[in-house]
Amino acid sequence: MIDQTLEIRGIPVTHLVTYLVECGGSVQSEAWPISVLGDCWQADLLREETVTITSRFHVNAVFIHITSHDEERFAHFMKRFRTKLLRVGG
């Protein structure tokens, strides 16, 4: 069984839920922890925190716990999900 916890910074919770749905998941619960169930995976958005980078720069950090029983399909899901997390600097 695959069991990973990710900390994703700078992306709103609503966008993360949308990305998980676009990767084939369906929202199971909308209250914390927010649960999204996919074909071979489950993602639980555990909590959101504010992280201080400098005295004036703060970003949100969302903690996501992802589990799966199929390693190959999980790798495909993670590739799609990580592509959605890419951001262009400016």
Side-chain angles (χ1 to χ4, degrees):
M1 182 168 141
I2 299 167
D3 187 14
Q4 290 185 4
T5 300
L6 306 174
E7 177 184 346
I8 300 172
R9 294 183 178 186
I11 301 176
V13 173
T14 55
H15 291 182
L16 292 172
V17 171
T18 299
Y19 298 159
L20 290 166
V21 169
E22 289 174 353
C23 288
S26 61
V27 177
Q28 302 297 303
S29 69
E30 295 184 18
W32 293 100
I34 300 168
S35 184
V36 181
L37 183 63
D39 185 31
C40 66
W41 52 269
Q42 179 171 340
D44 296 309
L45 287 80
L46 303 174
R47 68 187 185 281
E48 180 178 31
E49 298 176 359
T50 300
V51 177
T52 302
I53 306 298
T54 67
S55 62
R56 294 181 178 214
F57 186 60
H58 309 279
V59 298
N60 74 313
V62 180
F63 294 84
I64 303 177
H65 183 246
I66 303 173
T67 56
S68 177
H69 291 287
D70 186 325
E71 191 170 330
E72 184 177 322
R73 291 167 73 190
F74 177 75
H76 177 71
F77 156 73
M78 284 302 292
K79 182 177 179 181
R80 288 188 66 202
F81 184 58
R82 289 202 182 271
T83 299
K84 293 184 177 295
L85 299 178
L86 291 176
R87 296 288 183 263
V88 178

